[in-house]
Amino acid sequence: MCGRYTLSTPAGRLAEEFQLDSTVEIPPSYNVAPTQQVAAVLEDEGGRRLEMLRWGLIPSWADDPEIGARMINARSETAPEKPSFRRAFRGRRCLIAADGFYEWKRENGGKQPYYFRMQDGRPFAFAGLWESWDRGDGALRTCAILTTRANDVLSPIHDRMPVILPSDSYDAWLDPDADTEELGELMVPYAVDDLETYPVSRFVNSPRNNDERCIE
């Protein structure tokens, strides 16, 4: 499960990380929540572009767009064949930019939030899927984050984690001609060496709270 994350990295640094030709100024967010607009990198005729997508994938065949609120994550083990995600998996993969994320653990009769980030603070990418939904009044572009089993850093907190892609696999993930076997090799728990975690205040529990206190 990945239900909240952060992105406060300056636009220039994001352009460098994701090899973008142009930059887009994105307001810093310390509490990105489902149904909000999120920064995603899409393949664009051999290059890459940054686009804002709504978090919560709406399949093209859906009658009710509210279904997206329940589809913020896609299990990597089933996404290639699940009707809700298989079309996006085959041809609409993206990189969802982040620089940290949260997970909650049951402790002392409540849920304690923990923050996860790279030890050097650099931005990174979740493996994402995107779709376009249109019922005649304009296309709505949405996305979901793929998840996998937890690595040793996450497992004491939760049994699942978002798929984090190493930078040298960005091209392979965005390649429209990549096959399922190749993509499957990318949807694995991230190496533990780079990740660190620490507990944070329950201030982050409310999506209305969105400042640096969320990661303190």
Side-chain angles (χ1 to χ4, degrees):
M1 178 69 178
C2 179
R4 303 282 183 80
Y5 68 92
T6 65
L7 182 62
S8 60
T9 302
R13 179 68 185 88
L14 290 178
E16 178 184 349
E17 172 68 19
F18 296 112
Q19 299 177 17
L20 303 171
D21 293 331
S22 60
T23 60
V24 176
E25 290 296 333
I26 304 169
S29 180
Y30 297 90
N31 201 356
V32 182
T35 73
Q36 293 180 359
Q37 295 292 112
V38 301
V41 177
L42 281 62
E43 192 275 340
D44 186 13
E45 298 182 350
R48 298 175 185 173
R49 74 175 187 275
L50 188 69
E51 185 170 326
M52 302 304 291
L53 307 175
R54 193 172 86 169
W55 186 12
L57 188 141
I58 305 171
S60 60
W61 45 259
D63 293 324
D64 185 355
E66 295 303 315
I67 192 176
R70 305 192 301 273
M71 301 180 69
I72 63 171
N73 292 155
R75 293 178 67 93
S76 58
E77 298 89 343
T78 59
E81 300 303 328
K82 191 170 182 178
S84 300
F85 301 116
R86 63 189 177 197
R87 191 180 86 148
F89 185 85
R90 290 169 185 166
R92 294 184 170 181
R93 296 179 299 277
C94 62
L95 309 173
I96 298 178
D99 47 32
F101 62 96
Y102 302 97
E103 192 51 78
W104 282 256
K105 180 182 180 181
R106 291 193 177 276
E107 291 182 354
N108 303 320
K111 287 188 174 182
Q112 170 62 52
Y114 285 79
Y115 184 55
F116 297 84
R117 66 182 180 187
M118 297 298 173
Q119 293 179 7
D120 61 4
R122 72 182 185 277
F124 55 87
F126 298 131
L129 306 176
W130 70 276
E131 263 294 2
S132 182
W133 184 87
D134 192 349
R135 287 296 179 270
D137 54 355
L140 178 61
R141 291 175 180 253
T142 62
C143 63
I145 295 172
L146 283 153
T147 66
T148 185
R149 65 188 186 279
N151 63 17
D152 289 344
V153 178
L154 266 291
S155 59
I157 312 300
H158 200 276
D159 62 352
R160 304 287 295 179
M161 69 177 294
V163 174
I164 299 174
L165 297 169
S167 57
D168 60 4
S169 67
Y170 292 169
D171 283 340
W173 183 254
L174 294 176
D175 182 357
D177 298 320
D179 60 41
T180 300
E181 182 177 353
E182 180 182 8
L183 296 170
E185 294 174 355
L186 302 178
M187 297 186 296
V188 295
Y190 190 75
V192 299
D193 297 345
D194 293 340
L195 279 177
E196 65 178 10
T197 185
Y198 58 86
V200 294
S201 166
R202 293 181 184 179
F203 180 79
V204 73
N205 287 2
S206 172
R208 292 188 298 271
N209 298 330
N210 190 353
D211 59 47
E212 291 187 70
R213 287 175 289 176
C214 291
I215 62 172
E216 291 176 354

